[in-house]
Amino acid sequence: MAGIKSESDLKKKCVIFGLEDVLIPGLVEKDLKMKVVFGILKNLKKLEERFPRFRFFVISGYNTEEGMKRIEKHGLKGLIAKDRVFFVNQQYLESREEVDKQLYLRNIQKNPEFKDEYFKQVIIGEIERKYDYSREEMVF
């Protein structure tokens, strides 16, 4: 961060993390070093404070209840702004076609830890539009 003197020095202005296997242990990456994760998130928060156009987000295909359990379990709650964390919610479900909504509900009933991977694509597009980022300014 020491070499970043102005916002124009930033290669990316929008960093989007998946929650599982990146910020918390998951199926692929079972042994994350949480101390390293905390350090990265603290540095990103500093960048957000210095540069108004820079933001970082967290996206997960879990529903809100399951996702928040994991964030709290791993001590990340205070490190990520509440409005920058996205989980499958009622608004998203209502936006889906009826057949997709019913499929989701069946999957979540069978497995409360079900993840909707398509949700991530939808949210990335929403972030791009809401904050007026070009794809070149974003990294997932």
Side-chain angles (χ1 to χ4, degrees):
M1 263 187 23
I4 301 173
K5 294 182 180 22
S6 73
E7 200 166 90
S8 62
D9 293 334
L10 296 172
K11 302 268 189 254
K12 301 293 181 181
K13 305 233 179 357
C14 174
V15 177
I16 303 171
F17 292 101
L19 181 63
E20 312 79 30
D21 294 312
V22 178
L23 297 179
I24 65 170
L27 294 175
V28 176
E29 190 62 52
K30 292 176 179 23
D31 191 30
L32 281 174
K33 306 283 186 260
M34 293 309 293
K35 186 175 180 177
V36 174
V37 170
F38 295 148
I40 291 167
L41 293 177
K42 286 177 184 175
N43 283 332
L44 291 173
K45 283 181 73 91
K46 289 177 188 173
L47 283 175
E48 281 187 333
E49 291 166 6
R50 285 181 59 198
F51 305 113
R53 183 113 171 93
F54 179 82
R55 294 176 184 92
F56 74 95
F57 301 87
V58 176
I59 301 175
S60 172
Y62 286 121
N63 65 41
T64 303
E65 183 181 343
E66 284 298 320
M68 287 309 296
K69 275 193 226 174
R70 286 166 171 74
I71 282 181
E72 289 176 17
K73 176 183 176 185
H74 294 285
L76 299 177
K77 189 173 181 180
L79 295 172
I80 307 164
K82 199 173 189 176
D83 67 337
R84 306 280 175 79
V85 181
F86 298 91
F87 298 110
V88 173
N89 58 27
Q90 195 61 38
Q91 180 183 351
Y92 166 74
L93 290 176
E94 293 303 321
S95 74
R96 307 296 302 140
E97 295 291 329
E98 189 60 33
V99 67
D100 294 327
K101 194 182 330 180
Q102 292 306 317
L103 180 60
Y104 174 83
L105 293 172
R106 274 195 304 273
N107 283 327
I108 204 78
Q109 189 174 32
K110 287 181 200 172
N111 177 9
E113 294 182 353
F114 172 75
K115 291 186 291 187
D116 183 338
E117 296 298 331
Y118 178 71
F119 173 75
K120 294 176 186 179
Q121 295 173 32
V122 170
I123 295 302
I124 290 169
E126 286 182 15
I127 290 169
E128 180 181 18
R129 286 185 297 283
K130 180 177 180 181
Y131 295 97
D132 194 30
Y133 288 118
S134 68
R135 286 287 167 139
E136 292 77 27
E137 294 176 300
M138 302 172 75
V139 63
F140 177 63

